[in-house]
Amino acid sequence: MALTPGTKIGPYEILSPLGAGGMGEVYRAKDTRLGRDVALKILPESFARDSDRLRRFEQEARAVATLNHANILAIHDIGQHDGSPFLVSELLEGESLRALLDHRALPQRKTIEYGVQIAYGLAAAHEKGIVHRDLKPENIFVTKDGRIKILDFGLAKLAQKAGAELDEATLASSHTAAGMVMGTASYMAPEQVRGEPADPRSDIFAFGAVLYEMLSGVRAFRRDTTAETMTAVLKDDPPELSDPAHLVSPGLERIVRRCLEKSPEQRFQSARDL
């Protein structure tokens, strides 16, 4: 549902569109009670009729609302408009890490600065039992003053206890091609590629892939097709980071390599440790 400027949704007045993605359309809106601008995300009507998408949207709202951390997007409110649910979050000024990378590496100092903030945000979520499951540069935002915000916990799920049944949400649902799994192939941990449950160590693998890309300017795992990319995640190690034109400290490369271990047991066991 496209909302026009001036539309009122409860106490929120739509100002302008900000963008659209798989989980909804996002608008800049005015909170007339507090006099501040916010981001309002609303599911299109077709999504609202899809019980699985609706569940994921509500799950995102509940999960993120329990988190109160400087490096995680803050959720202010949730509601419904004409049968479609919406959530209201803080409005960010800046750009995504994807836009910042744009096929180029970041300086090592900047990579460490951003990496520390991402790790703190993940640690805060993991300590509440929340796994992101889709960490990638598109879901990491850099504000104008250099703060990192982790976005879109739409695939987040309370971490399952050891021995729990297979996380069926990881498998294909009716609106995805048969056999496909959620997440983005280049950043998925091997266990996610195999359709197994994600846990905090899966986010650590994705974080390692993001770190690799920040340092090198290229994706750690990227092939011509999704299937080939998934095979690379399962079997291949990415090329060495350091080259004569772009030196990376041995300590930092060891951290990246440990994050990218194929076996979860061989990675850092928590984002706090990392």
Side-chain angles (χ1 to χ4, degrees):
M1 142 188 2
L3 300 178
T4 57
T7 300
K8 295 285 184 64
I9 297 181
Y12 307 104
E13 180 181 351
I14 299 299
L15 300 178
S16 62
L18 289 175
M23 286 297 291
E25 298 174 352
V26 186
Y27 298 87
R28 177 189 289 264
K30 172 75 74 175
D31 183 339
T32 57
R33 295 168 304 183
L34 298 175
R36 67 180 174 185
D37 285 1
V38 295
L40 187 147
K41 177 157 70 171
I42 187 165
L43 254 67
E45 291 178 43
S46 59
F47 286 12
R49 291 193 295 268
D50 183 326
S51 60
D52 181 60
R53 284 186 184 269
L54 182 57
R55 178 184 58 78
R56 286 166 54 197
F57 182 84
E58 292 171 343
Q59 173 182 291
E60 174 182 11
R62 286 194 300 271
V64 182
T66 67
L67 303 173
N68 180 21
H69 193 274
N71 299 122
I72 296 173
L73 181 73
I75 299 298
H76 297 322
D77 195 9
I78 185 170
Q80 289 212 6
H81 173 69
D82 291 343
S84 295
F86 66 85
L87 63 80
V88 180
S89 67
E90 62 180 317
L91 182 68
L92 301 177
E93 302 288 350
E95 59 186 338
S96 71
L97 181 60
R98 167 62 64 219
L100 200 61
L101 286 172
D102 194 27
H103 306 297
R104 63 184 176 89
L106 298 183
Q108 180 171 289
R109 176 186 59 81
K110 192 62 71 176
T111 296
I112 294 171
E113 179 186 327
Y114 293 164
V116 166
Q117 295 184 64
I118 297 167
Y120 272 122
L122 287 177
H126 293 168
E127 285 164 11
K128 288 285 188 77
I130 297 167
V131 181
H132 192 288
R133 303 200 314 172
D134 194 26
L135 190 72
K136 55 189 177 183
E138 289 82 354
N139 285 337
I140 298 168
F141 197 89
V142 185
T143 67
K144 286 183 176 178
D145 59 358
R147 285 180 300 118
I148 291 292
K149 294 280 186 176
I150 302 175
L151 314 179
D152 195 6
F153 276 78
L155 298 181
K157 183 175 175 63
L158 293 180
Q160 294 187 317
K161 296 178 181 177
E165 293 181 1
L166 179 66
D167 174 8
E168 63 185 23
T170 304
L171 301 178
S173 56
S174 59
H175 55 78
T176 57
M180 287 296 288
V181 291
M182 291 182 182
T184 303
S186 296
Y187 306 94
M188 291 171 65
E191 59 270 22
Q192 289 176 284
V193 170
R194 291 191 293 267
E196 298 168 0
D199 69 21
R201 297 169 299 180
S202 307
D203 282 349
I204 288 172
F205 185 94
F207 174 72
V210 171
L211 267 184
Y212 185 96
E213 189 168 349
M214 284 196 283
L215 289 166
S216 67
V218 297
R219 296 192 189 192
F221 306 100
R222 186 169 196 175
R223 303 294 187 268
D224 291 339
T225 67
T226 299
E228 289 171 329
T229 298
M230 289 180 167
T231 300
V233 167
L234 290 172
K235 297 183 177 181
D236 298 344
D237 288 324
E240 296 297 317
L241 278 168
S242 288
D243 60 56
H246 188 78
L247 297 176
V248 173
S249 75
L252 188 54
E253 174 137 12
R254 282 196 299 272
I255 289 172
V256 174
R257 293 289 170 186
R258 188 168 174 194
C259 289
L260 290 175
E261 288 285 355
K262 305 299 184 188
S263 167
E265 287 75 22
Q266 294 179 13
R267 296 174 207 146
F268 292 96
Q269 294 301 289
S270 76
R272 186 69 66 190
D273 289 346
L274 172 58

Short mmCIF file of all heavy atoms in Angstrom, two decimals, residues 189-248:
data_model
loop_
_atom_site.label_atom_id
_atom_site.label_comp_id
_atom_site.label_asym_id
_atom_site.label_seq_id
_atom_site.Cartn_x
_atom_site.Cartn_y
_atom_site.Cartn_z
N ALA A 189 26.07 -18.86 7.11
CA ALA A 189 26.97 -19.85 7.69
C ALA A 189 26.69 -21.22 7.06
O ALA A 189 25.58 -21.48 6.60
CB ALA A 189 26.78 -19.90 9.20
N PRO A 190 27.69 -22.10 7.05
CA PRO A 190 27.48 -23.43 6.45
C PRO A 190 26.26 -24.16 7.03
O PRO A 190 25.52 -24.81 6.28
CB PRO A 190 28.78 -24.16 6.79
CG PRO A 190 29.81 -23.08 6.85
CD PRO A 190 29.10 -21.90 7.45
N GLU A 191 26.04 -24.04 8.34
CA GLU A 191 24.90 -24.73 8.93
C GLU A 191 23.58 -24.17 8.41
O GLU A 191 22.59 -24.91 8.28
CB GLU A 191 24.95 -24.66 10.47
CG GLU A 191 24.95 -23.27 11.07
CD GLU A 191 26.33 -22.67 11.26
OE1 GLU A 191 27.29 -23.13 10.57
OE2 GLU A 191 26.47 -21.75 12.09
N GLN A 192 23.53 -22.87 8.08
CA GLN A 192 22.32 -22.31 7.49
C GLN A 192 22.12 -22.82 6.07
O GLN A 192 20.99 -23.10 5.65
CB GLN A 192 22.38 -20.78 7.49
CG GLN A 192 22.25 -20.15 8.87
CD GLN A 192 22.42 -18.65 8.79
OE1 GLN A 192 23.53 -18.14 8.65
NE2 GLN A 192 21.33 -17.92 8.90
N VAL A 193 23.21 -22.93 5.32
CA VAL A 193 23.13 -23.47 3.96
C VAL A 193 22.56 -24.88 3.99
O VAL A 193 21.76 -25.27 3.12
CB VAL A 193 24.52 -23.47 3.29
CG1 VAL A 193 24.50 -24.25 1.98
CG2 VAL A 193 24.99 -22.04 3.04
N ARG A 194 22.93 -25.64 5.02
CA ARG A 194 22.43 -27.02 5.14
C ARG A 194 21.01 -27.08 5.70
O ARG A 194 20.44 -28.16 5.85
CB ARG A 194 23.37 -27.84 6.02
CG ARG A 194 24.73 -28.11 5.39
CD ARG A 194 25.51 -29.14 6.19
NE ARG A 194 25.89 -28.64 7.50
CZ ARG A 194 27.04 -28.04 7.78
NH1 ARG A 194 27.96 -27.88 6.82
NH2 ARG A 194 27.30 -27.61 8.99
N GLY A 195 20.41 -25.91 6.03
CA GLY A 195 19.05 -25.90 6.55
C GLY A 195 18.96 -26.24 8.01
O GLY A 195 17.88 -26.59 8.51
N GLU A 196 20.08 -26.16 8.73
CA GLU A 196 20.10 -26.46 10.15
C GLU A 196 19.80 -25.19 10.95
O GLU A 196 19.88 -24.08 10.43
CB GLU A 196 21.46 -27.04 10.55
CG GLU A 196 21.79 -28.34 9.84
CD GLU A 196 23.24 -28.76 9.99
OE1 GLU A 196 24.01 -28.04 10.65
OE2 GLU A 196 23.59 -29.81 9.43
N PRO A 197 19.46 -25.32 12.24
CA PRO A 197 19.14 -24.14 13.05
C PRO A 197 20.33 -23.20 13.16
O PRO A 197 21.48 -23.63 13.24
CB PRO A 197 18.80 -24.74 14.42
CG PRO A 197 18.46 -26.17 14.16
CD PRO A 197 19.29 -26.59 12.99
N ALA A 198 20.03 -21.90 13.15
CA ALA A 198 21.07 -20.88 13.37
C ALA A 198 21.19 -20.62 14.86
O ALA A 198 20.22 -20.66 15.60
CB ALA A 198 20.68 -19.60 12.64
N ASP A 199 22.42 -20.34 15.31
CA ASP A 199 22.63 -19.90 16.68
C ASP A 199 23.58 -18.70 16.63
O ASP A 199 23.95 -18.24 15.54
CB ASP A 199 23.11 -21.05 17.57
CG ASP A 199 24.54 -21.54 17.25
OD1 ASP A 199 25.33 -20.78 16.62
OD2 ASP A 199 24.86 -22.67 17.62
N PRO A 200 23.96 -18.13 17.77
CA PRO A 200 24.81 -16.92 17.72
C PRO A 200 26.09 -17.09 16.89
O PRO A 200 26.57 -16.14 16.28
CB PRO A 200 25.14 -16.68 19.20
CG PRO A 200 23.93 -17.18 19.91
CD PRO A 200 23.50 -18.40 19.16
N ARG A 201 26.61 -18.32 16.82
CA ARG A 201 27.84 -18.54 16.05
C ARG A 201 27.59 -18.40 14.54
O ARG A 201 28.52 -18.13 13.78
CB ARG A 201 28.42 -19.91 16.39
CG ARG A 201 28.84 -20.02 17.86
CD ARG A 201 29.17 -21.44 18.26
NE ARG A 201 28.02 -22.32 18.10
CZ ARG A 201 28.05 -23.62 18.38
NH1 ARG A 201 29.17 -24.18 18.82
NH2 ARG A 201 26.98 -24.36 18.21
N SER A 202 26.32 -18.54 14.12
CA SER A 202 25.98 -18.30 12.71
C SER A 202 26.13 -16.81 12.39
O SER A 202 26.61 -16.44 11.32
CB SER A 202 24.56 -18.77 12.42
OG SER A 202 24.36 -20.10 12.82
N ASP A 203 25.71 -15.95 13.31
CA ASP A 203 25.91 -14.51 13.14
C ASP A 203 27.39 -14.17 13.12
O ASP A 203 27.81 -13.24 12.41
CB ASP A 203 25.23 -13.74 14.28
CG ASP A 203 23.72 -13.62 14.12
OD1 ASP A 203 23.21 -13.97 13.03
OD2 ASP A 203 23.06 -13.18 15.08
N ILE A 204 28.18 -14.89 13.91
CA ILE A 204 29.63 -14.63 13.94
C ILE A 204 30.26 -14.96 12.59
O ILE A 204 31.15 -14.25 12.12
CB ILE A 204 30.28 -15.40 15.10
CG1 ILE A 204 29.88 -14.73 16.43
CG2 ILE A 204 31.81 -15.44 14.95
CD1 ILE A 204 30.30 -15.49 17.66
N PHE A 205 29.78 -16.02 11.93
CA PHE A 205 30.27 -16.33 10.58
C PHE A 205 29.93 -15.18 9.63
O PHE A 205 30.78 -14.71 8.86
CB PHE A 205 29.65 -17.63 10.09
CG PHE A 205 30.17 -18.09 8.75
CD1 PHE A 205 31.23 -19.00 8.67
CD2 PHE A 205 29.63 -17.62 7.56
CE1 PHE A 205 31.73 -19.41 7.43
CE2 PHE A 205 30.12 -18.03 6.32
CZ PHE A 205 31.16 -18.93 6.27
N ALA A 206 28.67 -14.72 9.67
CA ALA A 206 28.26 -13.62 8.80
C ALA A 206 29.07 -12.37 9.09
O ALA A 206 29.48 -11.64 8.18
CB ALA A 206 26.77 -13.34 8.99
N PHE A 207 29.33 -12.13 10.37
CA PHE A 207 30.16 -10.99 10.76
C PHE A 207 31.56 -11.11 10.16
O PHE A 207 32.12 -10.13 9.66
CB PHE A 207 30.23 -10.92 12.29
CG PHE A 207 31.17 -9.87 12.81
CD1 PHE A 207 30.86 -8.53 12.73
CD2 PHE A 207 32.37 -10.23 13.41
CE1 PHE A 207 31.72 -7.55 13.22
CE2 PHE A 207 33.23 -9.27 13.90
CZ PHE A 207 32.91 -7.93 13.81
N GLY A 208 32.11 -12.32 10.16
CA GLY A 208 33.42 -12.54 9.54
C GLY A 208 33.41 -12.24 8.06
O GLY A 208 34.35 -11.64 7.52
N ALA A 209 32.30 -12.61 7.38
CA ALA A 209 32.18 -12.32 5.95
C ALA A 209 32.09 -10.82 5.70
O ALA A 209 32.66 -10.30 4.73
CB ALA A 209 30.96 -13.03 5.37
N VAL A 210 31.39 -10.11 6.60
CA VAL A 210 31.29 -8.65 6.47
C VAL A 210 32.66 -8.01 6.72
O VAL A 210 33.08 -7.10 5.99
CB VAL A 210 30.23 -8.09 7.44
CG1 VAL A 210 30.28 -6.57 7.47
CG2 VAL A 210 28.83 -8.57 7.04
N LEU A 211 33.36 -8.47 7.75
CA LEU A 211 34.70 -7.95 8.04
C LEU A 211 35.63 -8.16 6.85
O LEU A 211 36.40 -7.26 6.47
CB LEU A 211 35.30 -8.67 9.25
CG LEU A 211 35.13 -8.08 10.65
CD1 LEU A 211 35.90 -8.93 11.65
CD2 LEU A 211 35.59 -6.63 10.71
N TYR A 212 35.59 -9.37 6.27
CA TYR A 212 36.42 -9.68 5.11
C TYR A 212 36.16 -8.69 3.99
O TYR A 212 37.09 -8.17 3.35
CB TYR A 212 36.14 -11.11 4.65
CG TYR A 212 37.03 -11.57 3.51
CD1 TYR A 212 38.18 -12.32 3.76
CD2 TYR A 212 36.72 -11.25 2.18
CE1 TYR A 212 38.99 -12.73 2.71
CE2 TYR A 212 37.53 -11.66 1.13
CZ TYR A 212 38.66 -12.40 1.41
OH TYR A 212 39.48 -12.80 0.38
N GLU A 213 34.89 -8.42 3.74
CA GLU A 213 34.53 -7.51 2.65
C GLU A 213 34.96 -6.07 2.94
O GLU A 213 35.40 -5.36 2.04
CB GLU A 213 33.02 -7.57 2.41
CG GLU A 213 32.57 -6.84 1.15
CD GLU A 213 31.15 -7.16 0.77
OE1 GLU A 213 30.55 -8.10 1.34
OE2 GLU A 213 30.61 -6.46 -0.11
N MET A 214 34.86 -5.65 4.20
CA MET A 214 35.31 -4.31 4.56
C MET A 214 36.81 -4.16 4.31
O MET A 214 37.29 -3.12 3.87
CB MET A 214 34.97 -4.00 6.02
CG MET A 214 33.52 -3.68 6.26
SD MET A 214 33.21 -2.88 7.87
CE MET A 214 33.32 -4.27 8.98
N LEU A 215 37.57 -5.22 4.60
CA LEU A 215 39.03 -5.16 4.48
C LEU A 215 39.52 -5.34 3.05
O LEU A 215 40.56 -4.80 2.67
CB LEU A 215 39.68 -6.22 5.37
CG LEU A 215 39.59 -5.96 6.88
CD1 LEU A 215 39.96 -7.22 7.65
CD2 LEU A 215 40.52 -4.80 7.27
N SER A 216 38.77 -6.11 2.24
CA SER A 216 39.24 -6.45 0.90
C SER A 216 38.49 -5.74 -0.22
O SER A 216 39.01 -5.61 -1.34
CB SER A 216 39.10 -7.97 0.67
OG SER A 216 37.73 -8.34 0.63
N GLY A 217 37.24 -5.32 0.05
CA GLY A 217 36.42 -4.72 -1.00
C GLY A 217 35.70 -5.74 -1.86
O GLY A 217 34.98 -5.36 -2.79
N VAL A 218 35.88 -7.03 -1.59
CA VAL A 218 35.18 -8.09 -2.34
C VAL A 218 34.52 -9.05 -1.35
O VAL A 218 34.94 -9.15 -0.20
CB VAL A 218 36.13 -8.87 -3.27
CG1 VAL A 218 36.73 -7.96 -4.32
CG2 VAL A 218 37.23 -9.55 -2.46
N ARG A 219 33.50 -9.74 -1.80
CA ARG A 219 32.82 -10.68 -0.93
C ARG A 219 33.68 -11.91 -0.70
O ARG A 219 34.38 -12.39 -1.60
CB ARG A 219 31.48 -11.11 -1.53
CG ARG A 219 30.50 -9.95 -1.65
CD ARG A 219 29.10 -10.43 -1.97
NE ARG A 219 28.23 -9.31 -2.28
CZ ARG A 219 26.90 -9.39 -2.37
NH1 ARG A 219 26.32 -10.57 -2.18
NH2 ARG A 219 26.18 -8.34 -2.66
N ALA A 220 33.61 -12.44 0.50
CA ALA A 220 34.39 -13.64 0.84
C ALA A 220 33.92 -14.83 0.01
O ALA A 220 34.71 -15.66 -0.41
CB ALA A 220 34.27 -13.93 2.33
N PHE A 221 32.61 -14.90 -0.21
CA PHE A 221 32.03 -16.02 -0.97
C PHE A 221 31.06 -15.44 -2.00
O PHE A 221 29.98 -14.98 -1.65
CB PHE A 221 31.27 -16.97 -0.04
CG PHE A 221 32.10 -17.45 1.11
CD1 PHE A 221 31.96 -16.87 2.37
CD2 PHE A 221 33.02 -18.48 0.96
CE1 PHE A 221 32.72 -17.29 3.45
CE2 PHE A 221 33.79 -18.91 2.03
CZ PHE A 221 33.64 -18.31 3.28
N ARG A 222 31.47 -15.46 -3.25
CA ARG A 222 30.56 -15.02 -4.30
C ARG A 222 30.90 -15.74 -5.59
O ARG A 222 32.02 -15.67 -6.08
CB ARG A 222 30.65 -13.51 -4.51
CG ARG A 222 29.58 -13.02 -5.51
CD ARG A 222 29.47 -11.52 -5.54
NE ARG A 222 28.23 -11.10 -6.18
CZ ARG A 222 27.82 -9.85 -6.26
NH1 ARG A 222 28.54 -8.89 -5.72
NH2 ARG A 222 26.70 -9.55 -6.87
N ARG A 223 29.91 -16.43 -6.13
CA ARG A 223 30.08 -17.16 -7.38
C ARG A 223 28.98 -16.72 -8.34
O ARG A 223 28.18 -15.86 -8.04
CB ARG A 223 30.03 -18.67 -7.13
CG ARG A 223 31.07 -19.18 -6.14
CD ARG A 223 32.50 -19.03 -6.65
NE ARG A 223 33.47 -19.66 -5.75
CZ ARG A 223 34.09 -19.02 -4.75
NH1 ARG A 223 33.80 -17.74 -4.50
NH2 ARG A 223 34.98 -19.64 -4.01
N ASP A 224 28.92 -17.34 -9.50
CA ASP A 224 27.99 -16.90 -10.54
C ASP A 224 26.53 -17.20 -10.20
O ASP A 224 25.64 -16.50 -10.67
CB ASP A 224 28.34 -17.56 -11.88
CG ASP A 224 29.65 -17.03 -12.45
OD1 ASP A 224 30.06 -15.93 -12.04
OD2 ASP A 224 30.26 -17.73 -13.29
N THR A 225 26.29 -18.24 -9.43
CA THR A 225 24.92 -18.59 -9.07
C THR A 225 24.81 -18.76 -7.56
O THR A 225 25.82 -18.94 -6.87
CB THR A 225 24.49 -19.91 -9.75
OG1 THR A 225 25.26 -20.99 -9.18
CG2 THR A 225 24.72 -19.86 -11.26
N THR A 226 23.57 -18.74 -7.08
CA THR A 226 23.34 -18.95 -5.66
C THR A 226 23.83 -20.33 -5.23
O THR A 226 24.46 -20.48 -4.17
CB THR A 226 21.84 -18.80 -5.33
OG1 THR A 226 21.42 -17.49 -5.67
CG2 THR A 226 21.57 -19.05 -3.86
N ALA A 227 23.57 -21.34 -6.05
CA ALA A 227 23.98 -22.71 -5.71
C ALA A 227 25.51 -22.79 -5.59
O ALA A 227 26.04 -23.43 -4.66
CB ALA A 227 23.47 -23.69 -6.75
N GLU A 228 26.23 -22.16 -6.52
CA GLU A 228 27.70 -22.19 -6.47
C GLU A 228 28.23 -21.40 -5.27
O GLU A 228 29.22 -21.79 -4.65
CB GLU A 228 28.27 -21.62 -7.77
CG GLU A 228 28.06 -22.54 -8.98
CD GLU A 228 28.44 -21.87 -10.29
OE1 GLU A 228 28.31 -20.64 -10.42
OE2 GLU A 228 28.87 -22.60 -11.20
N THR A 229 27.54 -20.31 -4.95
CA THR A 229 27.95 -19.53 -3.77
C THR A 229 27.77 -20.36 -2.51
O THR A 229 28.64 -20.37 -1.63
CB THR A 229 27.12 -18.23 -3.68
OG1 THR A 229 27.37 -17.43 -4.84
CG2 THR A 229 27.49 -17.44 -2.43
N MET A 230 26.65 -21.06 -2.41
CA MET A 230 26.42 -21.91 -1.24
C MET A 230 27.46 -23.01 -1.14
O MET A 230 27.93 -23.34 -0.04
CB MET A 230 25.00 -22.50 -1.31
CG MET A 230 23.90 -21.48 -1.05
SD MET A 230 22.27 -22.25 -1.14
CE MET A 230 21.26 -20.95 -0.42
N THR A 231 27.84 -23.58 -2.28
CA THR A 231 28.88 -24.61 -2.28
C THR A 231 30.21 -24.03 -1.80
O THR A 231 30.94 -24.66 -1.03
CB THR A 231 29.04 -25.20 -3.69
OG1 THR A 231 27.81 -25.79 -4.10
CG2 THR A 231 30.14 -26.26 -3.72
N ALA A 232 30.51 -22.79 -2.21
CA ALA A 232 31.74 -22.14 -1.75
C ALA A 232 31.71 -21.91 -0.24
O ALA A 232 32.73 -22.10 0.44
CB ALA A 232 31.93 -20.81 -2.48
N VAL A 233 30.56 -21.53 0.29
CA VAL A 233 30.43 -21.35 1.74
C VAL A 233 30.74 -22.65 2.46
O VAL A 233 31.41 -22.67 3.50
CB VAL A 233 29.02 -20.85 2.10
CG1 VAL A 233 28.77 -20.95 3.60
CG2 VAL A 233 28.82 -19.40 1.64
N LEU A 234 30.27 -23.75 1.90
CA LEU A 234 30.46 -25.06 2.53
C LEU A 234 31.90 -25.58 2.42
O LEU A 234 32.39 -26.24 3.34
CB LEU A 234 29.51 -26.09 1.90
CG LEU A 234 28.02 -25.93 2.21
CD1 LEU A 234 27.20 -26.89 1.35
CD2 LEU A 234 27.74 -26.16 3.68
N LYS A 235 32.58 -25.26 1.30
CA LYS A 235 33.83 -25.98 1.00
C LYS A 235 35.07 -25.11 0.84
O LYS A 235 36.19 -25.59 1.05
CB LYS A 235 33.65 -26.81 -0.28
CG LYS A 235 32.59 -27.89 -0.16
CD LYS A 235 32.50 -28.73 -1.43
CE LYS A 235 31.50 -29.87 -1.26
NZ LYS A 235 31.40 -30.71 -2.49
N ASP A 236 34.92 -23.85 0.47
CA ASP A 236 36.09 -23.04 0.09
C ASP A 236 36.47 -22.06 1.20
O ASP A 236 35.64 -21.60 1.97
CB ASP A 236 35.80 -22.23 -1.18
CG ASP A 236 35.51 -23.12 -2.38
OD1 ASP A 236 35.83 -24.33 -2.32
OD2 ASP A 236 34.95 -22.62 -3.38
N ASP A 237 37.76 -21.75 1.22
CA ASP A 237 38.25 -20.66 2.07
C ASP A 237 38.47 -19.45 1.18
O ASP A 237 38.99 -19.57 0.06
CB ASP A 237 39.57 -21.04 2.74
CG ASP A 237 39.36 -22.08 3.84
OD1 ASP A 237 38.31 -22.01 4.52
OD2 ASP A 237 40.22 -22.96 4.00
N PRO A 238 38.11 -18.25 1.63
CA PRO A 238 38.36 -17.06 0.81
C PRO A 238 39.85 -16.78 0.67
O PRO A 238 40.66 -17.23 1.49
CB PRO A 238 37.65 -15.94 1.59
CG PRO A 238 37.46 -16.45 2.96
CD PRO A 238 37.42 -17.94 2.90
N PRO A 239 40.25 -16.07 -0.39
CA PRO A 239 41.67 -15.76 -0.61
C PRO A 239 42.27 -14.99 0.57
O PRO A 239 41.55 -14.38 1.37
CB PRO A 239 41.65 -14.90 -1.88
CG PRO A 239 40.36 -15.23 -2.55
CD PRO A 239 39.39 -15.54 -1.47
N GLU A 240 43.60 -15.03 0.65
CA GLU A 240 44.29 -14.27 1.69
C GLU A 240 43.92 -12.79 1.58
O GLU A 240 43.73 -12.26 0.49
CB GLU A 240 45.80 -14.43 1.54
CG GLU A 240 46.30 -15.86 1.74
CD GLU A 240 46.05 -16.38 3.14
OE1 GLU A 240 46.27 -15.62 4.10
OE2 GLU A 240 45.59 -17.53 3.27
N LEU A 241 43.84 -12.14 2.73
CA LEU A 241 43.47 -10.73 2.74
C LEU A 241 44.63 -9.82 2.35
O LEU A 241 44.46 -8.84 1.64
CB LEU A 241 42.97 -10.33 4.14
CG LEU A 241 41.50 -10.65 4.43
CD1 LEU A 241 41.21 -10.49 5.92
CD2 LEU A 241 40.58 -9.75 3.62
N SER A 242 45.81 -10.13 2.86
CA SER A 242 46.94 -9.22 2.65
C SER A 242 47.55 -9.39 1.27
O SER A 242 47.70 -10.51 0.77
CB SER A 242 48.02 -9.47 3.71
OG SER A 242 47.59 -9.00 4.97
N ASP A 243 47.87 -8.27 0.66
CA ASP A 243 48.68 -8.27 -0.56
C ASP A 243 49.59 -7.04 -0.48
O ASP A 243 49.39 -6.17 0.38
CB ASP A 243 47.81 -8.26 -1.81
CG ASP A 243 46.92 -7.03 -1.90
OD1 ASP A 243 47.47 -5.91 -1.84
OD2 ASP A 243 45.70 -7.18 -2.02
N PRO A 244 50.61 -6.96 -1.33
CA PRO A 244 51.58 -5.86 -1.21
C PRO A 244 50.95 -4.47 -1.25
O PRO A 244 51.45 -3.53 -0.64
CB PRO A 244 52.51 -6.08 -2.41
CG PRO A 244 52.41 -7.56 -2.69
CD PRO A 244 51.00 -7.93 -2.38
N ALA A 245 49.81 -4.35 -1.94
CA ALA A 245 49.18 -3.03 -2.07
C ALA A 245 48.20 -2.73 -0.93
O ALA A 245 47.76 -1.60 -0.78
CB ALA A 245 48.46 -2.93 -3.42
N HIS A 246 47.87 -3.76 -0.18
CA HIS A 246 46.82 -3.58 0.83
C HIS A 246 47.13 -4.51 2.00
O HIS A 246 46.63 -5.62 2.07
CB HIS A 246 45.45 -3.90 0.22
CG HIS A 246 44.30 -3.56 1.11
ND1 HIS A 246 43.84 -2.27 1.26
CD2 HIS A 246 43.52 -4.33 1.91
CE1 HIS A 246 42.83 -2.28 2.11
NE2 HIS A 246 42.61 -3.51 2.52
N LEU A 247 47.93 -4.05 2.93
CA LEU A 247 48.36 -4.89 4.05
C LEU A 247 47.31 -4.89 5.16
O LEU A 247 46.74 -3.85 5.50
CB LEU A 247 49.70 -4.39 4.60
CG LEU A 247 50.89 -4.47 3.63
CD1 LEU A 247 52.13 -3.86 4.27
CD2 LEU A 247 51.15 -5.91 3.22
N VAL A 248 47.05 -6.08 5.68
CA VAL A 248 46.15 -6.25 6.82
C VAL A 248 46.95 -6.88 7.94
O VAL A 248 47.73 -7.81 7.72
CB VAL A 248 44.96 -7.16 6.44
CG1 VAL A 248 44.11 -7.49 7.66
CG2 VAL A 248 44.11 -6.50 5.36
#
